[in-house]
Amino acid sequence: MHLRRLGERDWLRRLGWASLVANIGIVVTGGAVRLTASGLGCPTWPRCTDESFRAHGELGLHGAIEFGNRLLTFVLAAVAIATLVSAWQSRRRVLRVLALVLALGVPGQAVVGGITVLTDLNPWLVSVHLLLSLAMISVAVLYLWRIDRTRPERRPAPRGLATLAWATYAVSWVVLYVGTVVTGSGPHAGDIDVPRNGLDPLQLSQLHADVVFLLVGLTVGLLLALSATGAGRGPRRAVAWLLGVELAQGLVGFVQYFTDLPEILVGIHLLGAAVIAAVVTWALLSVLEGDAEHA
């Protein structure tokens, strides 16, 4: 019985990681669509053209890239369904709920993506599309956390520490959102004829940098507070990783800004945003629940 539970948990964990990687992957491939100006490679939705669901030769490379990204949604859907089936077999309510959210997020994101195409890549909808993907990454991390952890190993974190952890998590999402607005004002629109959001890129970039500095400051404060209160190794390691990712992401952001936003660096920065969404969730859970014991 014990061996069967171990095997079940192993499959839950593998599929949980597959969900996390797939959701990060769809962020990266979606970014590639935008950075290659292929956002309207398939000019309508749910069909690629008015006559066909698939791209044809006349649409060229842009059509192939956009259609390829749409096909990857089916890979994400397959992973989500497999994850949901394994969660359902586990008979654990929390895993069933989280897996259902991940599964429903796939068609939800497809609809938002379709509306984005039908509105000619409205930059505000593009922001929503990306933020929803980042939210799915956060849910995938929570799912992975709940596979092996059902309750804290120790008492909940002190109120001040928990408040600081939540503040860090909240500000990270402000950083991510402002980043999408900065992108909506910049040159990488997804298509050469798509209008931008009309805001000043210089002022938005300054605001983005200010919020990033706030996030780094909160993360440093959280790390120092964990050390001062004698927190376990797990929370300190998670927050240290978060700080490292933030510094790396900030470096890429500054370099891309001062080199006129080359596509490769923008793509790396987008990957960094996905990693931030994952690691900040891990850090929050680690601080709130400590080194939780395995179920």
Side-chain angles (χ1 to χ4, degrees), residues 212 244-258 265 269:
V212 168
V245 172
E246 289 169 356
L247 294 176
Q249 178 76 335
L251 178 60
V252 173
F254 277 110
V255 172
Q256 73 169 10
Y257 178 80
F258 288 108
L265 286 182
H269 200 55

Side-chain angles (χ1 to χ4, degrees), residues 73-87:
T73 302
F74 291 98
V75 176
L76 181 59
V79 172
I81 291 171
T83 302
L84 179 59
V85 170
S86 66

Side-chain angles (χ1 to χ4, degrees), residues 3-160:
L3 290 175
R4 193 178 78 176
R5 283 192 63 192
L6 287 177
E8 177 186 87
R9 184 177 297 159
D10 188 50
W11 271 109
L12 286 168
R13 193 181 298 113
R14 288 180 183 179
L15 288 169
W17 276 105
S19 290
L20 177 59
V21 171
N23 277 285
I24 292 176
I26 206 72
V27 169
V28 175
T29 58
V33 170
R34 190 183 77 230
L35 293 171
T36 57
S38 302
L40 295 178
C42 286
T44 189
W45 185 88
R47 295 174 181 265
C48 184
T49 67
D50 291 333
E51 297 80 23
S52 174
F53 279 98
R54 64 181 182 85
H56 51 71
E58 293 181 4
L59 296 176
L61 180 60
H62 293 316
I65 293 174
E66 166 63 6
F67 182 66
N69 186 61
R70 293 188 183 189
L71 288 179
L72 287 176
T73 302
F74 291 98
V75 176
L76 181 59
V79 172
I81 291 171
T83 302
L84 179 59
V85 170
S86 66
W88 215 263
Q89 292 176 341
S90 74
R91 298 182 180 180
R92 291 177 56 187
R93 183 175 183 277
V94 64
L95 294 185
R96 288 179 173 182
V97 171
L98 292 172
L100 182 61
V101 172
L102 289 170
L104 293 177
V106 178
Q109 274 290 70
V111 170
V112 174
I115 295 173
T116 302
V117 170
L118 294 176
T119 56
D120 293 330
L121 305 183
N122 181 294
W124 298 106
L125 285 177
V126 172
S127 292
V128 171
H129 195 39
L130 174 57
L131 287 171
L132 286 175
S133 290
L134 297 177
M136 297 302 293
I137 290 170
S138 188
V139 174
V141 172
L142 177 57
Y143 179 83
L144 276 168
W145 181 269
R146 288 285 172 251
I147 289 173
D148 290 325
R149 302 165 176 89
T150 57
R151 61 186 183 275
E153 184 181 57
R154 55 180 175 78
R155 288 178 294 179
R159 180 177 298 179

Side-chain angles (χ1 to χ4, degrees), residues 182-201:
V182 173
T183 300
S185 69
H188 300 298
D191 188 87
I192 58 174
D193 297 322
V194 171
R196 314 311 290 129
N197 59 27
L199 301 177
D200 186 348

